[in-house]
Amino acid sequence: MSDIHIDVLIIGAGPSGCVAAAYLNNKGFNIKVVEKSVFPRFVIGESLLPRCMDHFEEVGLLECLKAANFEIKRGARFLRDDVVCNFDFSKKHTDGWNWTWQVPRADFDNILVNEIIKKGVDVSFQHEVVGVNIADDGASTTIVKDPDGNEYNIHAKFIIDSSGYGRVLPRLLDLEKPSTIPEHSSIFGHVKDINRPEGEEGTLITFDVLDKDTWFWVIPFSNGNTSLGFVGKNEFIDSFEGTTSERLQTMFKQSDYYYKRFKDAPLLFEPKSIRNYSKAVKQFYGKGFALTGNSAEFLDPVFSSGVTFATESALKVAKVLTKELRGETVNWEEDYANYIKKGVDVFATYVKEWYTGNLQTLFFHRPENPEVKKQICAVLAGYVWDDTNPFVKKHDRLVKTFAHLIHMEQEKSESI
Ligand code: FAD
């Protein structure tokens, strides 16, 4: 294949790559997406946040998704022992979407990529990026392997790396750094939900908290299947023996609330496992490239922030890049890296405070504080750039402070 010359190369056709591609295509740039796999393909990350609806709407990808009738997600339920903590996205501090979806990603991502192809984006499936050379002025030559194993070059003014766990540029340019999130692993799969109860109970996204470090997700889909997954410290996940099916089936027994519903539910494929899933990078951009979505950073699944971060970062990169390609002066550090880090920092606090137990103290303390709940709900809906929300602005202090106050109150009442 002869060399290709374009404005922007996008690596990966997940939600991040599709949102970046849709925006730049709408602006008339000459772009190309290369995707290693064949779609539809399985990927984990099925519980979305309302904030990502803003992104799909802005780039013209919302209507195709609406037509798919995915299960509507109006909030999230957390269970611990007999206490239930229900977040309702219509009761949140920040204005914004009150709902989103819970989706089998194979179908969801397939709709997105087909829509950008329909809009004219050039997407090559089974084409894998295997090497890259970026000159001092940012112009790049990327080596791509086609399905027959032949290599060819793509010359681009800019590369957006949306390769998810492929983490193409972090690997090729040595940008990886250890994550500061405590190490956890996960085992997950899909079942045919043969005992699904009627009504809301059957469709609710739930996080069943087994102990401070261990939790179990239940994400029902509109196609009658449900995603189930365990998250825990490596020692917990490693303590189960056998195939991933056997391990997941033994783990179900730990959930008093759900065991009966899922004990006979047939698994739809051999469950998958991911070890030490948190990822970080030394930098979010460089001359001639930017990293978006999981290729840049992944924290933890507990607040379902992955896809929303993937689309937020993709849209931001596409906007800054549009200005740059039009000859305007842009400040990548300010306009991209600092912006994204601000949101990542808020979620990182919530994830860390989840595993210290402080956030769980706030979620499960009774009676609930309605004002605090509304503010935390806005964070869980993905609105983590709203500084009018004290639980965003002072995220590093408030969760700790409130948990401390609750602990003091509990100690006082126990000593009476
Ligand atoms: P992806 O969707 O992974 O897409 C990247 C694409 O790049 C892939 O299609 C891949 O084939 C392609 N690619 C890779 N390498 C190459 C290459 N060399 N050349 C060309 N193409 C390449 N997020 C949520 O929002 N909600 C959840 O409930 C949730 N649960 C999770 C549970 C677990 C256990 C884990 C580990 C993560 C979870 N996530 C969740 C995170 C979610 O999986 C990711 O954040 C999200 O998929 C990132 O989207 P993306 O577009 O960046 O990458």
Side-chain angles (χ1 to χ4, degrees), residues 152-209:
Y152 65 97
N153 292 327
I154 298 181
H155 304 278
K157 294 176 189 158
F158 200 89
I159 303 174
I160 299 178
D161 181 10
S162 306
S163 62
Y165 275 120
R167 298 177 67 73
V168 171
L169 293 190
R171 278 190 293 107
L172 295 176
L173 302 180
D174 189 23
L175 305 176
E176 303 267 9
K177 79 167 188 196
S179 171
T180 57
I181 303 292
E183 286 185 347
H184 282 82
S185 297
S186 178
I187 292 193
F188 46 86
H190 289 176
V191 295
K192 198 169 166 48
D193 200 350
I194 50 176
N195 294 319
R196 182 179 286 184
E198 289 292 313
E200 199 191 32
E201 175 63 30
T203 61
L204 274 184
I205 282 209
T206 303
F207 301 83
D208 187 5
V209 182

Side-chain angles (χ1 to χ4, degrees), residues 126-147:
Q126 287 181 287
H127 284 230
E128 179 183 359
V129 170
V130 292
V132 70
N133 192 345
I134 303 182
D136 290 346
D137 67 354
S140 59
T141 303
T142 301
I143 307 163
V144 181
K145 197 157 75 178
D146 75 12

Side-chain angles (χ1 to χ4, degrees), residues 358-359 361-362 365-367 369 372 391 397-414:
N358 281 335
L359 200 57
T361 300
L362 260 72
H365 176 66
R366 294 294 173 273
N369 178 330
V372 166
F391 270 79
R397 277 175 289 144
L398 272 195
V399 176
K400 257 192 201 69
T401 307
F402 270 80
H404 181 65
L405 292 173
I406 293 169
H407 287 142
M408 284 195 349
E409 189 187 301
Q410 284 165 343
E411 276 168 25
K412 209 165 116 193
S413 64
E414 277 162 19

Side-chain angles (χ1 to χ4, degrees), residues 11-17 34-37 39 41 43-48 105 109 127-130 162-168 171 186 188 217 219 231 274 277 292-295 298 301 304-308 310:
I11 310 173
S16 203
V34 290
E35 165 55 54
K36 183 167 111 176
S37 58
F39 275 38
R41 55 92 178 90
V43 67
I44 197 63
E46 299 144 334
S47 157
L48 308 183
R105 285 284 302 281
D109 291 17
H127 284 230
E128 179 183 359
V129 170
V130 292
S162 306
S163 62
Y165 275 120
R167 298 177 67 73
V168 171
R171 278 190 293 107
S186 178
F188 46 86
W217 81 65
I219 305 177
V231 173
I274 297 189
Y277 46 65
T292 69
N294 259 36
S295 175
F298 180 65
S304 308
S305 57
V307 170
T308 297

